[in-house]
């Protein structure tokens, strides 16, 4: 099929196919912005469904790009979608979606790393759904997990990561992927991998497989200061082959381990989340 014929067609939602949108707006992808676009509305629909029933809900999406996932979220009934995109070239394409769904799409131009997500949520308990730029995805997730107010301003996170990062998020003690991310995610949420997305589903295809992870906040996670827990896990896993009395030396070493009732000869990967919380609470 020629590109001209493609651009004359409409997709299932009545908007032009994504390839035509990208061509018309000259959205050549930029690696520095982690731009790997999803062009298949069936697949973006599957991600939207992984976020649960969206009817009546407000969704925040980070990095809408040309709007493939945004369109799926709107098509699947989200009452409102708030998108934050750093690349101003994408805004005209997003404006077209907003015109197609009057009053339901709010477009924010900016850097998600500097955004106040609770303020963007506007008092609603939102769902966050995103095909995250790979270079800032982990940082954004950690920020959401370390949110001070709990239960947080979001009722779920449905996020695309590289498979290897997804495995770290859902890892349990003893798993080779268990580390700081697994402790933080497991402490405050229940997290699971929903499905994998092959590299060929993206334009351009990344080098690795991706996975959609769904995280739901725990109502009553163990009481601990998030930043202290982060610090403990950073040190403990920073030298994961060493015994804890060694890796935690800068934070108190054996004395800290004694205060938490944990054997200093153990290694980080054997500690449960509850034991990490005990260590964090002992590290005043
Ligand atoms: N959601 C689209 C999709 O699924 O096809 C695009 C996903 S692409 C992996 C990541 C998007 O995040 C790009 O549109 C990129 O411009 C945007 N982005 C990158 N860094 C960002 C940041 N710091 N804040 C907001 N958006 C960002």
């Amino acid at each position: 099929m020629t590109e001209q014929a493609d651009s004359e067609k409409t997709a299932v939602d009545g908007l032009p196919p994504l390839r035509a949108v990208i061509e018309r707006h000259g959205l050549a992808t930029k690696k520095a912005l982690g731009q790997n676009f999803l062009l298949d509305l069936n697949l973006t629909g599957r991600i939207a469904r992984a976020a649960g029933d969206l009817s009546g809900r407000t969704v925040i999406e980070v990095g809408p790009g040309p709007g493939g996932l945004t369109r799926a979220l709107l098509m699947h009934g989200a009452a409102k979608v708030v998108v934050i995109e750093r690349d101003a070239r994408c805004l005209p394409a997003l404006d077209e979606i907003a015109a197609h769904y009057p009053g339901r799409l709010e477009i924010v131009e900016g850097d998600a790393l500097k955004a106040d997500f609770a303020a963007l949520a506007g008092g609603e308990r939102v769902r966050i759904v995103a095909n995250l730029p790979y270079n800032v995805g982990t940082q954004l997730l950690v920020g959401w997990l370390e949110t001070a107010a709990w239960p947080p301003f979001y009722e779920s996170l449905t996020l695309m990561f590289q498979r290897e990062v997804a495995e770290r998020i859902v890892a349990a003690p003893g798993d080779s992927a268990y580390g700081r991310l697994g402790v933080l995610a497991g402490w405050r949420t229940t997290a699971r991998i929903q499905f994998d997305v092959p590299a060929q589903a993206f334009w351009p295809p990344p080098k690795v497989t991706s996975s959609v992870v769904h995280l739901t906040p725990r109502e009553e996670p163990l009481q601990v200061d998030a930043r202290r827990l982060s610090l403990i896990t950073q040190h403990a896993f920073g030298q994961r082959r060493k015994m804890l009395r060694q890796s935690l030396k800068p934070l108190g070493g054996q004395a800290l381990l004694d205060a938490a009732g944990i054997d200093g000869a153990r290694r980080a990967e054997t500690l449960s989340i509850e034991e990490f919380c005990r260590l964090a609470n002992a590290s005043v």
Side-chain angles (χ1 to χ4, degrees):
M1 185 184 303
T2 66
E3 274 157 12
Q4 193 179 5
D6 194 39
S7 66
E8 283 165 8
K9 286 198 319 185
T10 52
V12 57
D13 58 358
L15 284 160
L18 280 158
R19 277 186 196 284
V21 172
I22 288 169
E23 176 150 335
R24 187 153 43 83
H25 294 286
L27 300 178
T29 52
K30 290 189 181 171
K31 206 172 173 191
L33 286 174
Q35 291 184 337
N36 298 96
F37 297 145
L38 290 170
L39 305 182
D40 178 356
L41 286 175
N42 290 319
L43 180 58
T44 55
R46 195 169 172 213
I47 299 169
R49 285 194 299 278
D53 181 4
L54 296 179
S55 45
R57 304 287 171 179
T58 296
V59 176
I60 295 182
E61 184 198 354
V62 176
L69 182 54
T70 318
R71 285 164 62 169
L73 293 166
L74 289 160
M75 229 187 333
H76 282 79
K80 187 175 163 196
V81 179
V82 181
V83 294
I84 174 157
E85 173 58 62
R86 192 175 175 178
D87 185 352
R89 297 177 311 153
C90 297
L91 301 183
L94 296 168
D95 284 338
E96 286 169 12
I97 303 171
H100 192 70
Y101 291 97
R104 290 173 59 196
L105 177 59
E106 185 181 324
I107 303 162
V108 179
E109 182 187 356
D111 182 350
L113 289 175
K114 296 183 185 146
D116 178 346
F117 282 93
L120 284 181
E124 297 268 334
R125 197 137 185 241
V126 299
R127 300 196 186 181
I128 298 181
V129 185
N131 171 16
L132 290 172
Y134 76 95
N135 44 353
V136 297
T138 310
Q139 206 176 328
L140 285 169
L141 175 62
V142 168
W144 292 325
L145 292 172
E146 289 183 347
T147 299
W150 207 267
F153 63 92
Y154 54 86
E155 57 180 358
S156 63
L157 306 170
T158 308
L159 308 170
M160 177 96 75
F161 290 97
Q162 299 170 64
R163 170 90 203 173
E164 174 264 326
V165 177
E167 280 168 357
R168 288 199 273 133
I169 295 166
V170 303
D175 293 349
S176 59
Y178 186 51
R180 174 176 172 236
L181 262 186
V183 173
L184 271 184
W187 162 50
R188 273 191 152 172
T189 70
T190 49
R192 61 175 193 277
I193 293 179
Q194 298 271 65
F195 55 88
D196 288 343
V197 180
Q200 308 85 273
F202 297 86
W203 180 256
K207 291 198 174 67
V208 292
T209 299
S210 299
S211 305
V212 173
V213 184
H214 185 77
L215 303 98
T216 317
R218 291 184 193 279
E219 284 299 313
E220 292 186 16
L222 294 168
Q223 285 292 329
V224 63
D225 180 84
R227 295 198 179 274
R228 223 180 280 163
L229 182 63
S230 251
L231 190 67
I232 291 280
T233 51
Q234 258 168 40
H235 281 268
F237 288 105
Q239 298 178 290
R240 60 188 299 140
R241 302 260 161 258
K242 295 210 168 142
M243 287 187 274
L244 287 166
R245 71 164 72 97
Q246 188 64 32
S247 56
L248 293 182
K249 223 170 202 166
L251 302 178
Q254 189 60 55
L256 170 66
L257 288 150
D258 287 345
I262 290 167
D263 183 351
R266 288 174 65 187
R267 291 195 185 140
E269 66 212 24
T270 71
L271 257 60
S272 67
I273 291 169
E274 188 268 330
E275 288 173 314
F276 273 114
C277 290
R278 256 165 42 208
L279 272 172
N281 283 329
S283 69
V284 185

